[in-house]
Structure formats: structure tokens, C-alpha cells
Amino acid sequence: MTGPAAAAGAVPHAAGVPIRIENALVTVVFVLAVGLPIAEILLRGIWHVGIEGVGSMVQHVTLLLSMAGAAVAARERRLLTLATTEFLRGRSGAIARWAGGVVAGAVAGALAWASWEFVQVERDAGNTLFYGLPAWVAELCLPAGFALIGWRLA
């Protein structure tokens, strides 16, 4: 790509499709996180019925939103570990960014592994959430999110 778009760091159209999909998914999850409590309030106030397990739903949607937001921050190179090296210039800045990326990637990898172990324990326990959804299914966003973050930091 050439011209002003390339100079501004624009992403080619085909490469931007996964980014747009990811952004759309984050938006949908955010709307759920905000919309579920509002729907619960309206349903209880108007029809005197509620949504079964709405508290647990909102908690797990918030977990998903947190992991998705962290993955987007890693994609945009806006994680705290990466942002703090901006004041360094030249070779020292490059070394600091590399070291920060290595450490952050290793931590994300360790968290991905540990959260995978957690999901396995939850699966073995057989716990369920709302509407019979296995707890481990809702918690899969943890290892997936940490793995994506680690991959983006590598």
C-alpha cells in the first residue's frame, strides 16, 4: 500500500476484516453487559418477571468483556507494559520494548496455562450456571484471551 493511507499506518482492507469482526464482538459483549441489567429492571418493573440467573450472566459477560478488552489493548500495543517504554528513544527504547514484550508474553502464557487448568477443574466438577450452561464453557474466555494476548505480545 502506498500514499497517505500507508503513511498513516492504515491496515489494508482484507487485513482489517478480522479487526472489524473483533471490534464488533467486543461491541456486542459490551451491549450485553449493559443491556442485561437494564432488561432485568424493565422486566421486573413492568411485568414483574425477571431473567433467571441474570447476576451470573452479567458476571460472566463482564469476564468476557475484560478478556476481549485486554486482547484489543494488546492488539493496539496499549497494554501498560508496552506503553511505559514510549519515553525511551533509540537502542535503549528498543531493548526496553523487547524485554517488556518478552516478560509480558511469558506472564500471559503462564496465565493461559493456569487458566486452562482452572477450566479443566471446573469441567471435572460439573458446575453449571444459568439455563444449564456448564461453568467451564463460560470460563473458556480466560485461556483463550490470555493465549491471544501472549501471541500478540510475541
Side-chain angles (χ1 to χ4, degrees):
M1 180 167 36
T2 60
V11 178
H13 179 69
V17 170
I19 291 172
R20 284 199 280 289
I21 291 171
E22 184 179 23
N23 289 346
L25 288 174
V26 170
T27 301
V28 167
V29 173
F30 178 75
V31 168
L32 277 173
V34 172
L36 281 170
I38 292 172
E40 173 74 4
I41 290 167
L42 292 175
L43 286 170
R44 286 205 183 270
I46 297 170
W47 290 289
H48 307 290
V49 297
I51 302 171
E52 179 186 341
V54 73
S56 181
M57 281 183 209
V58 172
Q59 288 174 344
H60 286 84
V61 167
T62 302
L63 176 66
L64 177 57
L65 183 60
S66 300
M67 294 309 300
V72 169
R75 180 190 76 199
E76 301 291 327
R77 297 287 192 208
R78 293 184 183 259
L79 290 174
L80 183 58
T81 183
L82 303 174
T84 56
T85 61
E86 292 300 317
F87 66 92
L88 298 173
R89 303 278 184 236
R91 185 169 169 79
S92 61
I95 291 170
R97 281 186 290 283
W98 177 82
V102 167
V103 171
V107 168
L111 288 170
W113 177 79
S115 59
W116 177 252
E117 293 292 320
F118 170 71
V119 168
Q120 296 304 310
V121 168
E122 285 287 328
R123 189 184 63 161
D124 293 342
N127 296 329
T128 58
L129 300 173
F130 43 88
Y131 301 109
L133 178 70
W136 67 271
V137 172
E139 294 158 354
L140 279 172
C141 64
L142 288 167
F146 285 125
L148 181 58
I149 292 165
W151 177 71
R152 286 179 169 169
L153 294 175

